[in-house]
């Protein structure tokens, strides 16, 4: 008998450990599901952690500008996996016509961050599971696994709590909530390798059609496709091994201004 | 083809000795940089009025770039022909030692960087000491900025001897001492043409020699209970196996209650399995209906950790507010969480100079190490750090924050 854990097994186990830690400490938590490949992978891990019966809600922040494929995918699997799905919108901002044509910064802030704030206040969540990864963006590389946000949602990146030996900051004061990041140590290729191994369904947008595909999906207006013929996971993995272009290069909010991501994040953006 | 497990290593050393630059150089030399990232760094370097600063690849916070320092630990990924790596960059400034520890606690190996001009400084020593506390024993020392000392062998030998003397005193035996220039690339990926007197490995070769932490499979079983779920009327206990392995039918003992029973089933979603190894997060049920709770430790009769309420430890205080001995703390060791007090602070030690500040002290200040006796309110299952790290290390909680880390040195 010489069974041993390979790289994906180790990542999977580490993530499940973190997910169970979060639930054990707070009970009142939610999974933030953007329907992208990362948060869908996280969903898969959460289903494993709880033996298919997720004991907390799944939160989808709906900007109303998402791709139609995203909405269809969400509704299909919410049903198939028996999810307790909460869809949250900043209804006032939507009614007032907020959109990326006003200002990308304001649009992200209003339709994502504020909508999330409203949902947390309403549901009184103490912790949120998020599928961010360190290799996505230099700012995210600075994150902790359990990362506190104060009542204004601010991230005090200059004074983060220590985190050692899988011991995390797992208590939040009345006003705080914690962002929990079970996928922090995964890289883009790991996600694809795992999606393939586990046969995890993900939206069709990731696969090439007519010479283009999306590497990162969100709002239709702010996501550009990349040139690609990768229409299978194997081809995507192959492409990632040779590409010189970074994952979020199609994302508007990373580009506008050098520190836009930091500013958005310090206001509570994911 | 299965993906190899990457090797995690941390780069530590005094502020400005060249940690972030060395990482930038590694990424550059291994072609791990996307052109758009490199272009972004060039642009931002110009905006800050500098030549291309590799450090900006890691120092992403606006404050970090403006002040030219690293505030928080970060991780980046790269690969050589041999394997994948995760590099953990740690801040060198004294104010951010807790961030350095956060980074270093996730590493399997460490690179200690020393500036050839400045030589051994305060954080060089403190970081080394922390590495020894964290149990890291694969260490590479690089003497950086050799370009500023005319690639002098004499200077290299002097700095090497200084650092070696200190490392000896804390029982660290580095794998290699390597003269480099992070900025110019000497002895990083390619052998330097400027230091013919050096015959050792390049930095990259020394990395390729490092080994992943061995799995704890051959050790005695330790399975801390993390939680208990009710799934379709079935009570499933969950936890991560920290050492050893387990299979259905195995006799087990539960600490601290000393109850004995056997494993009835191993539970994994969508998987049929009756055996699991160290590192796996599993669910399990027991043959007798015992009620387990978070913090219980599953082990084997005859191979139990020690259950005690008093033990000795080295504890590192990392909170700006000093610790005063009458304060009650909460100790967390694996999933155990118990109130405790520090009965005696036998020694108070400066974690950089290693100077003994006081015996039988009644306080510990930020960044000081205490040799202490800990008394827990209820029994706790532990091992010596040198035996099983997972049950031999702990953190302390005060007012809901982690304020100290420590390792268990002696069981009572
Ligand atoms: N001449 C020279 N300068 C270096 C070298 N490595 C780093 N530096 C400079 O030393 C300063 C501090 O480097 P940095 O990487 O930010 O140090 P850190 O604080 O340890 O991360 C920067 O101005 C670098 O350009 C080197 O090998 N030679
Ligand atoms: Mg630095």
């Amino acid at each position: 008998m010489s069974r041993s854990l390979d790289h994906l097994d180790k990542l999977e186990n580490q993530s499940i450990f973190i997910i169970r830690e979060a639930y054990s400490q707070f009970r009142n938590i939610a999974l933030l599901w953007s329907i992208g490949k990362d948060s869908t992978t996280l969903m898969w891990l959460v289903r494993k952690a709880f033996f298919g019966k997720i004991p907390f809600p799944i939160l989808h922040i709906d900007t109303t500008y998402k791709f139609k494929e995203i909405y269809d995918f969400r509704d299909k699997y919410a049903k198939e996996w028996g999810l307790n799905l909460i869809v949250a919108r900043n209804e006032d901002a939507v009614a007032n016509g907020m959109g990326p044509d006003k200002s990308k910064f304001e649009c992200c802030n209003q339709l994502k961050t504020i909508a999330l704030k409203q949902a947390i206040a309403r549901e009184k969540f103490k912790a949120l599971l998020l599928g961010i990864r360190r290799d996505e963006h230099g700012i995210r590389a600075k994150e902790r696994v359990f990362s506190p946000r104060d009542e204004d949602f601010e991230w005090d990146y200059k004074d983060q709590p220590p985190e050692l030996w899988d011991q995390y900051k797992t208590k939040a004061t009345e006003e705080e909530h914690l962002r929990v990041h079970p996928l922090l140590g995964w890289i883009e290729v790991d996600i694809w390798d795992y999606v393939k191994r586990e046969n995890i369904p993900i939206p069709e947008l990731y696969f090439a059609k007519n010479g283009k595909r999306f590497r990162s999906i969100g709002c239709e207006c702010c996501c550009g496709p990349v040139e690609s013929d990768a229409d299978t996971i194997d081809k995507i993995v192959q492409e990632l091994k040779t590409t010189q272009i970074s994952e979020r290069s199609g994302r508007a909010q990373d580009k506008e201004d050098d520190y836009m991501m930091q500013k958005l994040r310090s206001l509570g953006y994911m | 083809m299965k993906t190899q497990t990457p090797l995690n290593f941390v780069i530590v050393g005094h502020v400005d000795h060249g940690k972030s630059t060395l990482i930038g150089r590694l990424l550059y030399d291994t072609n791990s940089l996307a052109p758009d990232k490199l272009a972004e760094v060039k642009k931002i370097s110009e905006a800050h009025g500098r030549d291309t600063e590799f450090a900006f690849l890691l120092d992403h916070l606006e404050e970090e770039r403006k002040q030219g320092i690293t505030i928080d630990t970060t991780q980046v990924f790269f690969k050589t022909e041999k394997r994948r790596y995760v590099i953990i960059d740690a801040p060198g400034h004294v104010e951010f030692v807790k961030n350095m520890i956060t980074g270093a606690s996730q590493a399997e190996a460490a690179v200690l960087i020393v500036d050839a001009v400045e030589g051994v400084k305060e954080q060089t020593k403190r970081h080394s000491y922390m590495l020894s506390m964290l149990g890291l024993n694969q260490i590479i020392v690089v003497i950086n900025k050799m370009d500023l000392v005319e690639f002098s062998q004499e200077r290299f030998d002097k700095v090497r001897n200084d650092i070696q003397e200190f490392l000896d005193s804390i029982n660290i035996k580095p794998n290699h001492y390597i003269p480099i220039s992070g900025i110019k690339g000497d002895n990083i990926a390619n052998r330097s043409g400027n230091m013919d007197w050096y015959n050792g490995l390049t930095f990259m070769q020394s990395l390729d020699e490092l080994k992943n932490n061995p799995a704890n499979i051959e050790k005695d079983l330790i399975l801390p209970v993390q939680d208990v779920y009710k799934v379709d009327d079935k009570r499933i206990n969950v936890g991560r196996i920290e050492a050893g392995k387990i299979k259905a039918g195995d006799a087990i003992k539960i600490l601290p209650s000393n109850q004995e029973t056997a494993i009835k089933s191993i539970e994994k979603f969508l998987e049929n399995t009756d055996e699991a190894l160290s590192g796996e997060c599993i669910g399990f049920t027991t043959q007798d209906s015992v009620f387990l709770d978070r913090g219980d430790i599953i082990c084997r009769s005859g191979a139990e950790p020690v259950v005690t309420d008093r033990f000795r430890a080295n504890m590192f205080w990392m909170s700006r507010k000093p610790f005063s001995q009458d304060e009650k703390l909460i100790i967390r060791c694996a999933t155990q969480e118990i109130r405790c007090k520090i009965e005696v602070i036998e020694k108070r030690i400066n974690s950089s100079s290693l100077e003994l500040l006081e015996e039988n002290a009644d306080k510990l200040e930020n960044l000081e190490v205490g040799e202490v006796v800990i008394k827990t309110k209820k029994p706790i299952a532990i091992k010596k750090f040198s035996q099983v790290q997972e049950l031999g290390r702990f953190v302390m909680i005060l007012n809901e924050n982690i304020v100290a880390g420590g390792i268990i040195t002696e069981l009572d």
Side-chain angles (χ1 to χ4, degrees), chain A residues 83-137:
Chain A
L83 306 178
N84 171 9
L85 181 72
I86 299 178
V87 175
R89 275 185 221 105
N90 181 349
E91 298 289 1
D92 289 347
V94 171
N96 289 329
M98 175 50 73
D101 47 323
K102 304 260 155 68
S103 133
K104 291 206 165 82
F105 182 88
E106 252 326 281
C107 186
C108 273
N109 191 42
Q110 288 287 332
L111 297 187
K112 292 186 183 169
T113 312
I114 308 260
L116 178 60
K117 251 184 209 176
Q118 293 167 344
I120 292 182
R122 197 168 52 234
E123 308 284 340
K124 305 201 164 44
F125 293 127
K126 293 309 290 175
L128 287 179
L129 300 173
L130 269 75
I132 67 164
R133 306 188 323 268
R134 287 202 179 92
D135 74 325
E136 280 177 281
H137 194 286

Side-chain angles (χ1 to χ4, degrees), chain B residues 288-302:
Chain B
D288 308 286
S289 75
V290 286
F291 285 89
L292 296 177
D293 213 344
R294 181 177 168 93
D296 286 338
I297 306 285
I298 309 294
C299 60
R300 267 186 235 297
S301 188

